[in-house]
C-alpha cells in the first residue's frame, strides 16, 4: 500500500544537463539543495552467501549546517556508493553517511571535499505548520532531472506508520502537494523554513494527492539524539493500550464519566514496564498531561497520540505516569529503553544475512527481511513470526531459526519436506538463535538429529556423510562461506 | 496436490464443479444397468451461516443419480444430502416421485442411505449388487444424469488403488482412481460407477485437469452398509497413530533399524486405541497381523496388491476388532495387540470439529458479545482461501489441535460484537480466544452460561488469551438490554447449546 519513493526511481539516472538560460527556482533554497545518486546493494536472503544485487536511485537532500546534508534513510540504505551534486554545479562529489535512523527514516550525510560546501546556504528549521497553511516541496521527482517545486496545503497531522521499517509509527504531516518518486529526502518549506522532510505517499491507484512528510518534532529528536556521536534509536513503554469508551467498563474500573484514561492490555515480558504496569491498569496522565479516553493528549501542536510524549524522549530518560489500579490512584516512573523484540518484525538495512550451512541444509534466522524474500507458506512458521510478540514466543527463544533451503545432494536426499519448519532442538539442545545451530554442529557427534517444532520425526544427518559431501556441495553451489553469524 | 483437485464435497457450492470433454450420450439401451436400478435424487439443502449462527443461508438444490441397493434403500453420497431440507426421488424413465428420508449417513466415508416415504415406490425396482473385487486396469462405466434426464455413460479405467484422505480429511480410506473424460453436468452430486450390472462404487471427486476421478469403492460401501444395519458397529475405526517413512538411510542408521521395512511412529494420540495398546512415539512398526510393512507403510494385500497398511484398520476392520502390531522398541522386537474402538470410545474430545452438518452451529450471546466454539466450518466461511484469509491464530489452533494439551476442551472465542450502548467501545473486538469469564475457565459454551450466572460486583470480566487481556461488561445492563438487542438484530434465541453429536 504505502510505497517508498526510493523504490520507484528507476530510469532517471541520465546525466544532468544544465543550461544557464533556464531560470532556477527560489535561488536561496536551490543553493541548499542536493541531488543524491545512490548505488546500493541489497543482500539476498535466498542465497545469503552472495553479495546481492546492485541497484541505483535518485533522491533529494538539503544542507542544514556544519557540512551536513539531511535526507531519508531509505535513500541511502544499503548504499555502496553515494554521489551528490548541487543545483547549478555539474560536478558530482562522493558522500558518506554520518548517521542513519531506520526507525524514523532520516539520515545525515557529509562530503569530505570542502569545495562542495562553497557558496551553499543552510536551511533553518521551523515548527509544526497550521492545518490548511500552504507549503512548498523541493526535490528531484520523475519528469526531469532538475530541481522541481510543487505547492500544496497541510491536510492532516496524525500518527502514521513509517513504511521504511514497517513497524514504527511517528507523528506525520499529510500534504496535498504532488510528491513523487525522487522527492524523498527533500525539504518542505513554509516562510523560508523547513517544516518537514518529504518521505512517503500512496500510489496513485489507491489515493490521489496524499503525500507525507516527517515533521520537525521527529527531525529535531533525531538531531538531538545524534549530538553525542551515535544514534540510540527510539524508546518505548513496551505495552499496548486501548481506548476506554465503554460506560460499564469505566464504572467497573472506578472511573468517573470524564473521558479520561486508557486501558493497559499487554505488558510485554522483559520490557521496561514489566513489574511496574499490569494488564487492567488505567493510565490517567503522562508527564502531567491528562490522557483522553481515546489515548490522545493535548500538547502545543494540538491533540496527539499519547505515545508522542514517549517518542520525544531518549535512551535513559524516564516517563511519569499516573495510573489507577483496583480503583486506587498511584504514580509510577518508568525508565525507557529500546523496543526489542519488536525489531524482529522490522525491515532491516545495512545488515548481512546470517546463516549456517551444514550438509547442504541452509539454516537462517527468521526476520522481516527473510519473510519478505522467502514468503513461506508454512502455517507454523508464519504463525510464530506474526505472533512472536503477541503470544510471547520471544520469552522462549530470542530468534526463530528455520531450515530455509536444501542444496540438493545425496546427503540430504530426504530433507526437502522439512523446509520452512522451525528448528526446535539439535541433538537435544534447544535452538534459541542461529548461533546455537553453529554451536550444535560444531560439537563432535556421530549423528545430528534435528527436531523441528511439531510432531514430526527428526531430520538426521550422519557426520561422516556430511564430511564426505562438504567439498562437493561447496563447489557445486559456489558456497563461498559455510556460515555468517554477524549482522 | 490438494489445490488441484476439484473437491465436489464442499457444502454450499453448486454442482458445477466438473469440467472436461463433453461425451456424446449413448442410447439408453446401451446402459449396462437398467432404469429399474437407478433413481434420480433431488435434494434441497440449506446450510447454516457460521458468521450468523442463528440464521440459515439461501437454499440450493443438488441432483444426483442414486443406485438402488439391498433392503430397498438408495445409496447416495453424503454431500448430496448434507444440510438437506427436502429430498425428492424420481424414477428414471417415468415421472413418478416420492419424498425420501435419510436413514443413515456417514460424512467420514461420504455415504448416505435414503428410503422413499412411499413404500410402493421401489416395488418394481431391482437392487444392484456390489462388485467388491477390482484390480488396476479394470474397466468400468460412470453413469451421470443429463440435464434432459437421460443417463450419460462415460467409460473409465482403474489407474490406482490406494488409501487416501476423503474430502472431509478426517479419515483416509480405500480409494480407486479412474481415468475418465467427464463432462460437467447438473446431476453431478452422486454418480454410480458400474461394471457388468454391478456397483463398483460412487464417484467422490474429479480433477478435470488430469481427468482423474476418485471413487468411494465397494469395500467402503460394504462397510457402511453393514454399519447402517447394525449401528453398534460404530463406523470406520482409527488407530490414532501418525508415522513417517524410513526410506532415509541416515535416519534408519540413527534409529538402528536393520530390517528392510518398518515405519517410525511420530505421534500417538492420547487415549486412542494405539495409546491404549501401549504404542509409543519412536516405536518402529514392522508389521500388522503377520504381514510385513515396507519403508513407506505399505503391505501386500491379497486383493489390491501394495496398499497402505491403514487399509487393514479403517476399511477392513470394525470397532472391537483386535490387530496384532509387530514393533521394534529399544532394539527389541515385540508384538502388541491393538483393539480398535469407535469415535465414541475415544475419550479425548475433539478440539475443533472438521465438519458440522445438519445442525445449527452452537453459540452463546452475553450482552452483545457473541461466543462460538472453534470449528473448521467456521474458518471455511472465509472461502476457498480460508487457510490464509481467516484469522491466523484460529487457523493455527485448528491445524495443530493434536498438539494442544488433552484437557483443552473446546476453543471458545469472541466471534463478533453486536454494537449497542452496552458494548460501546468493544465493536472492534473479534476472534479473541476466551480464557476465563468471571474467574471460571472456559472450555465450552456451557461454561460461558455457567460463568455468566456469577458476575463479580455486578460486572462480567471476560479474560482473553490475546490483547486487550480482559474487558468488563455491566451485568445488569447486559441482562436488561438483551431482549432489545435480539429484537434489533433479529436474533431468535440468545444461545444454541444443543450438542452437535
Amino acid at each position: 500500500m504505502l510505497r517508498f519513493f526510493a523504490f520507484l526511481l528507476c530510469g532517471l539516472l541520465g546525466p544532468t544537463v544544465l543550461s544557464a538560460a533556464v531560470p532556477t527556482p527560489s535561488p536561496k533554497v536551490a543553493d541548499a539543495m542536493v541531488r543524491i545518486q545512490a548505488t546500493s546493494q541489497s543482500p539476498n536472503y535466498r542465497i545469503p552467501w552472495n553479495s546481492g544485487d546492485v541497484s541505483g536511485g535518485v533522491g533529494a537532500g538539503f544542507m542544514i549546517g556544519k557540512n551536513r546534508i539531511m535526507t531519508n534513510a531509505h535513500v541511502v540504505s544499503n548504499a555502496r556508493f553515494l554521489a551528490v551534486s548541487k543545483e547549478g554545479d555539474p560536478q558530482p562529489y562522493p558522500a558518506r553517511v554520518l548517521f542513519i535512523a531506520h526507525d524514523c527514516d532520516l539520515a545525515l550525510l557529509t562530503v569530505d571535499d570542502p569545495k562542495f560546501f562553497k557558496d551553499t546556504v543552510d536551511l533553518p528549521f521551523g515548527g509544526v505548520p497550521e492545518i490548511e497553511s500552504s507549503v512548498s516541496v523541493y526535490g528531484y521527482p520523475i519528469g526531469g532531472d532538475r530541481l522541481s517545486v510543487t505547492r500544496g496545503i497541510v491536510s492532516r497531522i496524525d500518527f502514521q506508520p513509517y513504511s521504511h521499517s514497517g513497524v514504527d509509527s511517528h507523528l506525520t504531516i499529510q500534504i496535498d502537494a504532488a510528491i513523487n518518486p525522487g522527492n524523498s529526502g527533500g525539504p518542505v518549506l513554509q516562510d523560508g523554513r523547513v517544516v518537514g522532510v518529504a518521505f512517503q505517499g500512496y500510489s496513485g491507484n489507491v489515493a490521489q494527492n496524499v503525500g507525507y512528510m516527517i515533521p520537525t518534532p521527529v527531525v529535531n529528536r533525531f538531531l538531538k539524539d545524534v549530538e553525542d556521536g551515535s544514534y540510540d534509536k527510539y524508546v518505548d513503554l513496551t505495552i499496548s493500550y486501548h481506548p476506554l469508551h465503554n460506560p460499564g467498563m469505566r464504572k467497573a474500573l472506578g472511573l468517573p464519566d470524564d473521558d479520561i484514561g486508557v486501558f493497559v492490555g499487554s505488558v510485554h515480558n522483559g520490557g521496561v514496564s514489566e513489574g511496574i504496569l499490569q494488564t487492567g491498569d488505567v493510565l490517567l496522565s503522562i508527564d502531567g498531561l491528562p490522557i483522553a479516553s481515546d489515548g490522545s493528549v493535548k500538547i502545543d501542536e494540538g491533540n496527539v497520540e499519547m505515545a508522542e510524549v514517549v517518542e520525544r524522549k531518549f535512551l535513559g530518560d524516564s516517563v511519569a505516569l499516573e495510573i489507577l489500579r483496583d480503583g486506587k490512584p498511584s504514580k509510577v516512573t518508568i525508565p525507557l529503553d529500546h523496543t526489542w523484540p519488536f525489531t524482529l518484525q522490522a525491515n532491516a538495512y545495512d545488515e548481512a544475512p546470517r546463516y549456517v550451512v551444514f550438509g547442504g541444509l541452509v539454516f537462517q534466522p527468521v526476520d522481516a527481511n527473510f519473510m519478505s524474500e522467502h514468503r513461506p507458506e508454512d502455517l507454523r512458521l508464519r504463525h510464530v513470526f506474526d505472533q512472536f510478540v503477541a503470544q510471547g514466543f520471544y520469552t522462549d527463544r530470542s530468534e526463530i531459526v528455520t531450515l530455509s533451503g536444501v542444496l540438493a545432494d545425496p546427503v540430504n536426499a530426504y530433507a526437502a519436506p522439512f523446509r520452512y519448519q522451525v528448528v526446535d532442538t539439535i541433538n537435544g539442545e534447544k535452538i534459541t538463535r542461529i548461533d546455537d545451530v553453529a554451536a550444535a554442529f560444531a560439537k563432535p557427534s556421530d549423528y545430528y538429529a534435528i527436531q523441528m517444532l511439531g510432531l514430526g520425526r527428526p531430520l538426521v544427518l550422519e557426520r561422516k556423510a556430511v564430511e564426505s559431501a562438504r567439498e562437493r556441495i561447496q563447489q557445486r553451489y559456489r558456497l563461498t562461506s559455510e556460515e555468517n553469524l554477524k549482522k | 496436490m490438494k489445490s488441484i483437485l476439484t473437491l465436489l464435497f464442499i457444502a454450499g457450492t453448486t454442482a458445477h464443479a466438473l469440467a472436461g470433454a463433453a461425451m456424446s450420450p449413448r442410447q439408453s439401451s446401451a446402459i449396462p444397468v437398467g432404469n429399474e436400478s437407478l433413481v434420480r435424487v433431488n435434494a434441497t439443502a440449506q446450510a447454516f451461516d457460521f458468521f450468523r449462527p442463528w440464521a440459515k443461508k439461501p437454499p440450493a438444490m443438488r441432483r444426483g443419480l442414486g443406485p438402488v441397493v439391498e433392503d430397498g434403500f438408495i445409496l447416495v453420497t453424503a454431500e448430496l444430502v448434507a444440510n438437506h431440507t427436502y429430498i425428492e426421488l424420481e424414477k428414471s424413465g417415468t415421472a413418478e416421485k416420492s419424498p425420501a428420508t435419510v436413514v443413515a449417513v456417514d460424512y467420514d466415508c461420504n455415504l448416505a442411505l435414503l428410503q422413499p416415504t412411499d413404500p410402493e415406490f421401489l416395488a418394481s425396482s431391482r437392487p444392484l449388487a456390489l462388485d467388491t473385487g477390482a484390480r488396476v486396469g479394470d474397466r468400468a462405466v460412470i453413469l451421470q444424469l443429463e440435464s434432459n434426464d437421460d443417463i450419460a455413460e462415460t467409460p473409465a479405467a482403474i489407474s490406482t488403488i490406494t488409501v487416501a484422505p476423503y474430502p472431509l480429511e478426517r479419515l483416509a480410506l480405500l480409494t480407486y482412481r479412474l481415468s475418465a473424460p467427464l463432462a460437467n453436468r447438473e446431476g453431478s452430486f452422486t454418480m454410480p460407477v458400474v461394471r457388468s450390472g454391478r456397483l463398483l462404487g460412487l464417484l467422490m471427486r474429479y480433477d478435470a485437469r488430469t481427468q482423474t476421478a476418485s471413487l468411494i469403492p465397494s469395500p467402503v460401501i460394504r462397510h457402511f452398509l453393514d454399519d447402517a444395519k447394525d449401528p453398534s458397529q460404530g463406523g470406520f475405526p482409527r488407530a490414532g497413530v501418525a508415522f513417517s517413512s524410513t526410506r532415509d538411510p541416515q535416519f534408519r542408521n540413527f534409529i538402528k533399524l536393520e530390517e528392510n521395512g518398518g515405519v517410525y511412529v511420530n505421534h500417538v494420540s492420547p487415549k486412542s486405541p494405539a495409546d491404549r495398546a501401549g504404542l509409543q512415539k519412536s516405536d518402529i512398526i514392522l508389521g500388522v497381523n503377520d504381514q510385513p510393512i515396507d519403508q513407506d507403510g505399505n503391505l501386500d494385500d491379497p486383493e489390491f496388491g501394495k496398499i497402505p497398511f491403514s487399509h487393514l484398520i479403517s476399511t477392513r476392520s470394525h470397532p472391537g476388532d483386535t490387530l496384532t502390531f509387530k514393533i521394534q522398541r529399544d532394539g527389541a522386537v515385540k508384538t502388541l495387540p491393538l483393539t480398535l474402538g469407535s469415535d465414541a470410545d475415544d475419550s479425548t474430545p475433539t478440539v475443533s470439529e472438521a465438519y458440522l452438518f445438519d445442525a445449527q452451529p452452537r453459540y452463546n450471546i452475553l450482552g452483545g458479545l457473541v461466543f462460538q466454539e472453534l470449528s473448521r466450518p467456521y474458518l471455511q466461511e472465509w472461502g476457498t482461501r480460508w487457510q490464509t484469509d481467516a484469522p491466523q491464530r484460529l487457523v493455527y489452533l485448528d491445524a495443530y489441535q493434536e498438539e494442544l494439551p488433552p484437557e483443552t476442551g473446546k476453543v471458545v472465542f469472541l466471534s463478533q460484537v453486536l454494537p449497542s450502548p452496552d458494548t460501546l467501545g468493544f465493536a472492534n473486538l473479534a476472534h479473541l480466544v476466551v480464557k476465563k469469564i468471571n474467574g471460571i475457565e472456559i472450555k465450552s459454551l456451557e461454561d460461558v452460561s455457567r460463568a455468566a450466572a456469577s458476575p463479580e460486583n455486578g460486572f462480567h470480566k471476560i479474560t482473553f488469551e490475546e490483547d486487550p487481556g480482559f474487558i468488563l461488561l455491566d451485568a445488569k445492563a447486559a441482562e436488561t438490554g438483551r431482549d432489545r438487542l435480539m429484537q434489533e438484530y433479529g436474533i431468535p434465541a440468545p444461545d444454541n447449546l444443543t450438542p452437535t453429536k
Side-chain angles (χ1 to χ4, degrees):
Chain A
M1 293 178 303
L2 285 176
R3 196 184 280 189
F4 290 114
F5 293 134
F7 288 171
L8 301 170
L9 293 170
C10 43
L12 293 172
L13 302 170
T16 308
V17 182
L18 290 170
S19 154
V22 183
T24 36
S26 188
K28 201 182 150 212
V29 177
D31 290 344
M33 289 301 296
V34 177
R35 185 174 192 265
I36 302 168
Q37 277 186 260
T39 306
S40 58
Q41 193 173 28
S42 338
N44 187 335
Y45 281 76
R46 285 186 167 270
I47 316 170
W49 48 91
N50 276 10
S51 50
D53 294 338
V54 175
S55 60
V58 171
F62 57 99
M63 312 221 187
I64 61 163
K66 298 180 192 160
N67 291 358
R68 293 175 306 170
I69 301 160
M70 173 159 274
T71 185
N72 283 142
H74 75 250
V75 172
V76 296
S77 289
N78 297 322
R80 291 291 174 269
F81 180 70
L82 294 172
V84 293
S85 48
K86 289 182 290 181
E87 194 62 21
D89 180 352
Q91 169 74 35
Y93 292 76
R96 62 186 170 88
V97 175
L98 285 174
F99 300 103
I100 187 159
H102 297 295
D103 54 3
C104 61
D105 203 357
L106 288 171
L108 285 180
L109 316 180
T110 194
V111 175
D112 291 325
D113 187 344
K115 271 200 309 222
F116 180 75
F117 294 98
K118 210 174 149 237
D119 299 329
T120 61
V121 298
D122 300 324
L123 294 179
F125 285 100
V128 175
E130 297 276 323
I131 296 267
E132 238 183 304
S133 63
S134 53
V135 291
S136 306
V137 183
Y138 292 76
Y140 299 90
I142 45 171
D145 282 340
R146 300 200 46 195
L147 181 64
S148 143
V149 188
T150 53
R151 278 175 84 83
I153 60 160
V154 174
S155 315
R156 171 153 55 185
I157 303 175
D158 201 359
F159 228 62
Q160 289 280 346
Y162 278 36
S163 55
H164 178 59
S165 80
V167 296
D168 294 276
S169 287
H170 307 293
L171 198 66
T172 310
I173 294 180
Q174 183 187 322
I175 54 180
D176 76 343
I179 295 190
N180 286 302
N183 271 117
S184 276
V188 181
L189 280 101
Q190 186 174 62
D191 303 330
R193 289 177 171 271
V194 177
V195 293
V197 181
F199 79 121
Q200 65 185 23
Y202 278 103
S203 81
N205 28 6
V206 178
Q208 304 286 328
N209 294 339
V210 176
Y212 292 102
M213 63 179 193
I214 303 170
T216 48
V218 177
V219 174
N220 290 336
R221 190 206 172 279
F222 168 63
L223 291 175
K224 191 166 175 213
D225 191 320
V226 300
E227 269 173 13
D228 61 358
S230 69
Y231 182 61
D232 296 324
K233 299 184 194 159
Y234 273 79
V235 289
D236 196 83
L237 285 170
T238 56
I239 60 167
S240 73
Y241 58 86
H242 303 274
L244 254 180
H245 298 309
N246 187 267
M249 182 135 174
R250 293 189 64 89
K251 207 163 86 185
L253 293 167
L255 288 165
D257 191 13
D258 61 358
D259 280 331
I260 292 292
V262 289
F263 180 77
V264 176
S266 309
V267 180
H268 296 297
N269 283 333
V272 290
S273 299
E274 189 191 6
I276 303 174
L277 295 179
Q278 63 187 44
T279 300
D281 284 351
V282 180
L283 306 181
L284 299 171
S285 78
I286 181 162
D287 280 357
L289 301 166
I291 302 167
S293 61
D294 64 352
S296 66
V297 293
K298 219 182 193 72
I299 58 171
D300 295 346
E301 288 86 1
N303 279 327
V304 293
E305 196 65 38
M306 68 164 258
E308 181 62 20
V309 177
V310 179
E311 288 274 303
R312 296 184 182 189
K313 306 244 174 188
F314 298 90
L315 188 66
D317 287 355
S318 57
V319 72
L321 293 166
E322 253 182 291
I323 66 166
L324 192 72
R325 179 181 298 171
D326 302 328
K328 291 182 207 73
S330 64
K331 287 182 181 172
V332 297
T333 304
I334 296 175
L336 296 167
D337 202 345
H338 290 145
T339 55
W340 188 90
F342 298 88
T343 45
L344 184 94
Q345 287 166 326
N347 303 319
Y349 303 90
D350 302 312
E351 276 183 12
R354 292 169 298 144
Y355 66 94
V356 171
V357 179
F358 189 75
L361 306 182
V362 185
F363 297 89
Q364 281 179 270
V366 179
D367 54 22
N369 292 20
F370 177 91
M371 291 301 274
S372 68
E373 267 199 62
H374 280 262
R375 303 201 173 278
E377 281 185 6
D378 187 86
L379 173 63
R380 190 194 305 273
L381 183 58
R382 284 191 289 124
H383 182 260
V384 285
F385 176 73
D386 293 341
Q387 306 277 323
F388 190 66
V389 176
Q391 292 285 333
F393 293 135
Y394 66 91
T395 55
D396 202 32
R397 334 177 164 253
S398 54
E399 267 177 354
I400 306 157
V401 177
T402 188
L403 172 64
S404 62
V406 177
L407 305 176
D409 184 89
V411 72
N412 54 41
Y414 295 88
F418 294 88
R419 194 172 181 210
Y420 292 134
Q421 295 195 10
V422 178
V423 182
D424 184 14
T425 62
I426 297 177
N427 282 354
E429 303 267 357
K430 187 163 164 176
I431 301 303
T432 64
R433 48 213 273 265
I434 187 71
D435 307 66
D436 294 349
V437 175
F441 290 137
K443 264 187 205 165
S445 170
D446 290 342
Y447 293 96
Y448 295 96
I450 305 151
Q451 182 64 52
M452 307 296 184
L453 283 185
L455 303 174
R457 75 159 171 99
L459 170 59
V460 175
L461 289 179
E462 271 179 298
R463 183 189 182 82
K464 58 179 196 309
V466 172
E467 274 168 6
S468 67
R470 195 170 170 183
E471 212 164 304
R472 184 172 65 218
I473 291 174
Q474 281 190 16
Q475 284 175 357
R476 197 171 283 170
Y477 291 93
R478 301 282 162 88
L479 187 60
T480 46
S481 166
E482 285 185 312
E483 65 175 44
N484 173 45
L485 302 175
K486 271 197 219 121
K487 277 192 184 180
Chain B
M1 265 267 288
K2 247 177 268 166
S3 59
I4 59 160
L5 292 172
T6 305
L7 288 185
L8 289 174
F9 201 131
I10 293 173
T13 56
T14 56
H16 303 289
L18 293 174
M23 289 293 296
S24 52
R26 297 188 204 165
Q27 294 302 305
S28 57
S29 60
I31 293 176
V33 174
N35 276 338
E36 67 279 8
S37 300
L38 296 169
V39 174
R40 289 198 292 269
V41 183
N42 305 324
T44 309
Q46 207 180 359
F48 279 93
D49 184 346
F50 279 77
F51 286 159
R52 278 173 296 279
W54 45 86
K56 278 188 161 188
K57 290 179 179 173
M61 204 181 61
R62 299 173 188 154
R63 305 184 70 206
L65 187 63
V68 181
V69 293
E70 57 200 42
D71 304 324
F73 294 129
I74 294 140
L75 183 72
V76 292
T77 53
E79 63 177 326
L80 175 64
V81 297
N83 295 316
H84 67 274
T85 48
Y86 179 64
I87 300 168
E88 182 188 70
L89 306 177
E90 219 178 328
K91 269 193 189 163
S92 224
T94 71
E96 204 185 329
K97 292 183 183 191
S98 167
T101 54
V102 175
V103 292
V105 62
D106 186 334
Y107 289 105
D108 283 333
C109 67
N110 192 13
L111 289 171
L113 275 185
L114 308 183
Q115 185 173 38
T117 49
D118 173 4
E120 293 304 305
F121 184 74
L122 291 179
S124 60
S125 69
R126 194 171 58 82
L128 274 187
L130 293 182
D131 181 349
T132 49
R135 293 212 169 261
V136 170
D138 285 1
R139 302 199 163 272
V141 172
I142 301 171
L143 304 181
Q144 193 181 8
L145 260 188
E146 291 258 46
S147 49
N148 63 0
D149 288 349
D150 279 351
I151 291 166
E153 279 180 57
T154 308
I158 298 178
S159 55
T160 325
I161 296 178
T162 187
V163 173
Y166 269 37
L168 291 170
E169 294 193 353
R170 239 182 116 251
L171 275 187
L173 295 172
L174 187 69
T175 308
Y176 301 166
R177 295 216 181 92
L178 277 66
S179 48
L182 265 183
N184 178 12
R185 290 187 176 91
E186 211 186 331
S188 296
F189 268 86
T190 294
M191 289 184 255
V193 180
V194 296
R195 182 169 74 159
S196 322
R198 289 148 84 90
L199 183 66
L200 195 68
L202 295 187
L203 201 85
M204 173 161 59
R205 51 186 162 192
Y206 182 68
D207 178 4
R209 199 174 58 79
T210 59
Q211 302 203 334
T212 307
S214 297
L215 207 65
I216 308 165
S218 41
V220 173
I221 295 174
R222 180 75 264 153
H223 195 295
F224 168 70
L225 292 176
D226 291 346
D227 288 349
K229 274 186 203 132
D230 176 8
S232 68
Q233 294 264 27
F236 293 80
R238 289 190 291 180
V241 55
F243 61 86
S244 47
S245 148
T246 59
R247 267 175 181 266
D248 182 352
Q250 294 178 84
F251 183 60
R252 295 177 72 82
N253 292 343
F254 178 69
I255 58 177
K256 299 187 174 63
L257 178 57
E258 277 156 20
E259 299 226 15
N260 197 30
V263 291
Y264 177 85
V265 175
N266 291 337
H267 176 67
V268 177
S269 299
K271 298 177 184 175
S272 64
D275 188 28
R276 284 195 297 266
L279 212 62
Q280 294 170 5
K281 179 184 164 64
S282 81
D283 283 349
I284 298 151
I285 305 175
L286 299 170
V288 178
N289 287 0
D290 295 329
Q291 280 182 282
I293 288 175
D294 74 10
Q295 297 173 355
D296 292 322
N298 296 313
L299 47 74
D300 259 324
D301 187 86
E303 201 175 346
F304 301 119
K306 205 171 168 189
I307 196 161
F309 82 90
S310 62
H311 173 61
L312 274 191
I313 300 166
S314 55
T315 313
R316 281 270 161 88
S317 307
H318 291 272
D321 291 353
T322 299
L323 303 171
T324 308
F325 276 61
K326 183 179 163 197
I327 64 156
Q328 177 184 317
R329 181 184 298 166
D330 302 328
V333 175
K334 57 196 274 183
T335 55
L336 286 178
L338 186 147
T339 304
L340 298 168
S342 66
D343 276 358
D345 301 331
D346 195 344
S347 44
T348 320
T350 311
V351 176
S352 172
E353 297 290 347
Y355 57 81
L356 293 164
F357 294 114
D358 309 320
Q360 186 182 2
R362 285 154 54 84
Y363 68 94
N364 203 340
I365 301 178
L366 177 62
L369 310 181
V370 183
F371 297 103
Q372 285 177 260
E373 285 164 352
L374 176 63
S375 64
R376 199 159 307 153
Y378 177 83
L379 299 171
Q380 284 165 339
E381 292 284 10
W382 266 268
T384 48
R385 286 173 43 84
W386 64 272
Q387 276 151 314
T388 46
D389 292 353
Q392 290 296 287
R393 175 76 187 150
L394 297 181
V395 174
Y396 176 85
L397 289 172
D398 172 69
Y400 297 111
Q401 52 182 305
E402 269 288 305
E403 296 173 25
L404 297 171
E407 65 280 3
T408 299
K410 295 285 177 195
V411 173
V412 175
F413 63 100
L414 174 67
S415 59
Q416 58 181 307
V417 175
L418 305 169
S420 78
D422 302 327
T423 56
L424 186 75
F426 297 151
N428 294 333
L429 301 181
H431 312 123
L432 301 174
V433 176
V434 180
K435 225 155 59 175
K436 287 178 179 179
I437 295 179
N438 298 330
I440 293 171
E441 279 202 62
I442 301 299
K443 295 177 173 184
S444 70
L445 288 174
E446 282 80 0
D447 290 344
V448 174
S449 296
R450 202 157 53 84
S454 48
E456 295 170 348
N457 307 320
F459 295 96
H460 295 304
K461 181 177 181 180
I462 297 128
T463 310
F464 303 111
E465 248 187 33
E466 299 94 352
D467 216 27
F470 68 87
I471 57 170
L472 296 155
L473 200 66
D474 190 323
K476 208 168 187 180
E479 187 67 28
T480 53
R482 193 172 77 172
D483 289 347
R484 191 196 56 218
L485 189 82
M486 284 170 46
Q487 210 174 3
E488 278 171 3
Y489 285 93
I491 299 167
D495 61 39
N496 171 41
L497 300 176
T498 317
T500 42
K501 274 173 192 166

